[in-house]
């Protein structure tokens, strides 16, 4: 599932130290027989919730991990550096060999997109 990596990251940012993304998703996890937790325990809790029954709460105290999060300024600094790198690659490779039209066009569009993003950010300040 496309959201698995984001959920993994959010748990890590919140300070949870033991987080894994399972290869093959829930169906493969259930079929493996080597499950970390019993699927039946999770299924029972879900059934209770849908039936309106109370499930014992589990407490997890978060501890924010700032080194795992970039600020907006760091993101735009990265984009700026990437733009400069792409521009130099386009100049270098167009001078040495003729790039295929679609690759050259892609790089130019990417540069324009990054410039536009940076300009939007500077206008908001």
């Amino acid at each position: 599932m496309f959201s698995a990596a984001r959920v993994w990251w959010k748990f890590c940012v919140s300070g949870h130290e033991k987080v894994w993304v399972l290869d093959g998703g829930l169906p493969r996890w259930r079929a493996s027989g080597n499950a970390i937790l019993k699927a039946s325990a999770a299924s029972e809790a879900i059934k209770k919730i849908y039936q309106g029954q109370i499930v014992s709460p589990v407490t997890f105290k978060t501890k924010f991990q700032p080194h795992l999060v970039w600020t907006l300024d760091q993101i735009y600094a990265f984009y700026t550096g990437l733009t400069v790198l792409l521009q130099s690659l386009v100049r270098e490779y167009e001078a040495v060999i003729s790039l295929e039209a679609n690759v050259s066009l892609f790089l130019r569009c990417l540069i324009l997109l990054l410039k536009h993003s940076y300009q939007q950010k500077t206008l908001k300040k």
Side-chain angles (χ1 to χ4, degrees):
M1 188 172 223
F2 66 90
S3 59
R6 184 173 180 83
V7 171
W8 170 85
W9 176 79
K10 289 186 96 152
F11 272 112
C12 291
V13 167
S14 298
H16 204 298
E17 295 176 358
K18 296 181 180 180
V19 183
W20 296 272
V21 175
L22 301 169
D23 185 14
L26 187 59
R28 189 163 170 200
W29 176 66
R30 285 182 172 160
S32 72
N34 297 322
I36 298 166
L37 300 172
K38 297 286 184 199
S40 61
S43 296
E44 287 176 28
I46 292 169
K47 284 179 188 175
K48 285 183 180 181
I49 291 169
Y50 278 116
Q51 293 170 355
Q53 297 176 12
I54 296 174
V55 178
S56 301
V58 176
T59 304
F60 171 70
K61 294 185 180 181
T62 61
K63 184 179 178 191
F64 181 62
Q65 306 294 314
H67 64 280
L68 297 176
V69 179
W70 278 12
T71 65
L72 199 55
D73 288 334
Q74 288 171 313
I75 292 169
Y76 281 105
F78 172 78
Y79 282 156
T80 303
L82 184 60
T83 301
V84 170
L85 175 66
L86 288 172
Q87 286 173 333
S88 67
L89 285 172
V90 167
R91 279 193 302 273
E92 180 181 338
Y93 285 105
E94 282 184 342
V96 175
I97 59 170
S98 176
L99 284 177
E100 289 185 32
N102 58 349
V103 174
S104 180
L105 180 61
F106 169 75
L107 291 174
R108 290 179 187 282
C109 288
L110 188 55
I111 290 167
L112 289 172
L113 178 64
L114 293 172
K115 280 183 179 179
H116 177 72
S117 297
Y118 183 73
Q119 289 168 351
Q120 291 298 319
K121 185 237 180 207
T122 55
L123 290 175
K124 290 180 182 178
K125 281 190 172 182

